[in-house]
Amino acid sequence: MPLGCEIVPFIDAVRLALAQLRVQKLKSFFTLLGVTIGVMFLIAVVSIVEGMSSYMEHDFVGKLVGVNTVTLRTRPEIGGDVSESQWREMQRWPRILISDVEPVISALPAGTMWSAEGYDNVPMSSQWSRPQSLQASAVEGDYFKIREMNVASGRLLSVQEMALGSTVVVIGEEIAERFFPRLNPLGRSLKVGGLPYQVVGVAESQGSIFGFSLDRFVIAPYKSPLRHHVNRPNVIDAVKIKVPGDADMIEVQESIRQTMRGRHGLRPSQPDNFAIETSESALSFWTSIKSKLVLAGVVLPAIGLVVGAIVIMNIMLVAVAERTREIGIRKALGARRRDIMSQFLVEAATLSTVGAAIGIAIGIFLSQLIAAVSPLPATIAPWSIVAGVIVGAGVGIVAGIYPASRASKLDPILALRSD
């Protein structure tokens, strides 16, 4: 270490800190542990939140909600916290009827597509598999166009089959594998609600969302007998409406709202007793969850960083005590208070930054591991790496202020007399 210089070069202080890491490995491990854990959690949590945000904005909304799409339901399926009293009130809301569809659609712009849907778990079976209760949907209208669904084999339901209520179904890939293992399901019979339906198409794989398969479905015409298994007569669970791209979504929602309020006979002072959901509803719901995850992403690293700062401060105090004579020599050779203080601050920041670098590496590995073994997506955000380095260095500087100040205030005569 170059003693006697008026100002200790920054690089020498960094080298001294790194040398201490190599010489005192066990002590260095405990010194860096808190910062490493804190930054590791920061990287991992930010990666998961970023990954889920990207997934929600680009995949979830597109697959489940759809762009320029409004869904009318009896009760909301996408929403924030609902109190027990609100939930009890929703249970009393009137159901959406198939007869509500035409008045709602007639007030919307030309080119609007719509589909009505009733769905529920229904017992299914085939001669190649045991019976299981899985979700089946009875649909009407432009269901496949709105869902942008294509078939991997066979075909979709025809207009005639829809109009006649034929006992035919389009199934998802998972249903095909469950009920027709190693077989071509096209033309074969699948019992749905105890009645045989002919499989006419297998849809292209939709993938999954957070581990939940989107290929576990059976779709039959609304007028087929299936509708009696999923709802009471003429009751539907949802009306999905896709408007032309240049339509004003706010005006569309207001039109639907006013039509439904009129059909439910609501007075101006009464709140809506139905739900209108859009992609903005889904994103708003995600935003409320995201804020809680971000809070957790701040609290968890903060605990580790506070612990790390305390450990670094104690280690630096020990270093000041061990190097009192060295400090005395430097002061006797002309070093000023700020030189001593800078030296110890740089050492503390270097130690902390090394801990942060290790935490960043572990955090990236942990994020990739979580993405690989769980349904949670993870995307490494470059800014989180920069933030990890800045936070790591900042913790070292804050933790090193007191030890550095104490070292800089040592009396050179007393310091030289120390052992």
Side-chain angles (χ1 to χ4, degrees), residues 128 173-185 188:
W128 299 278
E173 191 176 74
E174 185 176 329
I175 296 293
E177 292 172 357
R178 284 192 184 203
F179 292 98
F180 307 98
R182 297 183 296 279
L183 294 171
N184 181 358
R188 298 183 187 275

Side-chain angles (χ1 to χ4, degrees), residues 148-303:
E148 298 180 355
M149 187 179 291
N150 298 311
V151 289
S153 60
R155 58 176 176 80
L156 298 173
L157 304 181
S158 67
V159 175
Q160 292 77 14
E161 289 166 341
M162 287 280 205
L164 295 173
S166 304
T167 52
V168 293
V169 290
V170 171
I171 61 177
E173 191 176 74
E174 185 176 329
I175 296 293
E177 292 172 357
R178 284 192 184 203
F179 292 98
F180 307 98
R182 297 183 296 279
L183 294 171
N184 181 358
L186 297 181
R188 298 183 187 275
S189 175
L190 175 67
K191 280 193 174 181
V192 183
L195 293 176
Y197 283 73
Q198 183 187 18
V199 178
V200 297
V202 179
E204 287 182 348
S205 177
Q206 306 288 304
S208 63
I209 292 180
F210 304 135
F212 296 100
S213 173
L214 298 178
D215 297 321
R216 193 185 306 159
F217 60 81
V218 171
I219 301 170
Y222 175 76
K223 293 178 180 175
S224 71
L226 178 61
R227 72 179 189 276
H228 300 298
H229 292 278
V230 297
N231 275 316
R232 299 196 308 271
N234 299 319
V235 170
I236 55 177
D237 291 301
V239 182
K240 196 173 282 288
I241 298 159
K242 185 166 187 174
V243 296
D246 57 352
D248 188 323
M249 290 295 286
I250 295 177
E251 288 185 5
V252 168
Q253 293 175 60
E254 188 59 26
S255 172
I256 296 171
R257 176 173 287 106
Q258 294 306 322
T259 302
M260 289 305 299
R261 287 183 64 85
R263 291 186 64 80
H264 286 183
L266 294 174
R267 293 190 295 273
S269 59
Q270 292 180 297
D272 295 344
N273 56 3
F274 51 87
I276 296 175
E277 294 175 340
T278 64
S279 57
E280 284 75 19
S281 305
L283 291 176
S284 176
F285 177 54
W286 160 243
T287 301
S288 66
I289 297 176
K290 182 180 177 180
S291 63
K292 295 174 183 175
L293 291 176
V294 169
L295 179 62
V298 171
V299 172
L300 287 175
I303 295 172

Side-chain angles (χ1 to χ4, degrees), residues 47-101:
S47 298
I48 292 172
V49 171
E50 286 287 319
M52 291 181 67
S53 288
S54 176
Y55 186 80
M56 289 294 293
E57 292 168 6
H58 300 106
D59 294 309
F60 180 85
V61 170
K63 286 181 178 178
L64 288 190
V65 183
V67 179
N68 290 334
T69 301
V70 180
T71 304
L72 172 66
R73 299 183 190 279
T74 299
R75 287 179 287 277
E77 288 194 353
I78 302 173
D81 296 331
V82 176
S83 66
E84 187 175 345
S85 61
Q86 288 175 310
W87 178 248
R88 283 199 299 269
E89 177 62 26
M90 288 178 185
Q91 299 304 307
R92 293 192 287 270
W93 287 1
R95 300 294 301 272
I96 304 296
L97 304 175
I98 191 69
S99 57
D100 290 325
V101 175

Side-chain angles (χ1 to χ4, degrees), residues 313-373:
M313 185 173 66
N314 283 311
I315 293 297
M316 293 306 297
L317 284 172
V318 171
V320 170
E322 291 175 345
R323 293 155 60 188
T324 300
R325 185 174 176 77
E326 171 195 315
I327 296 169
I329 294 173
R330 289 198 58 212
K331 282 201 163 185
L333 293 174
R336 294 168 297 184
R337 281 189 60 189
R338 68 181 184 185
D339 301 328
I340 303 297
M341 195 153 182
S342 298
Q343 177 188 354
F344 281 93
L345 283 178
V346 170
E347 288 184 25
T350 301
L351 288 172
S352 186
T353 303
V354 171
I358 297 172
I360 289 170
I362 298 176
I364 292 174
F365 171 76
L366 188 61
S367 302
Q368 299 301 315
L369 182 64
I370 291 172
V373 302

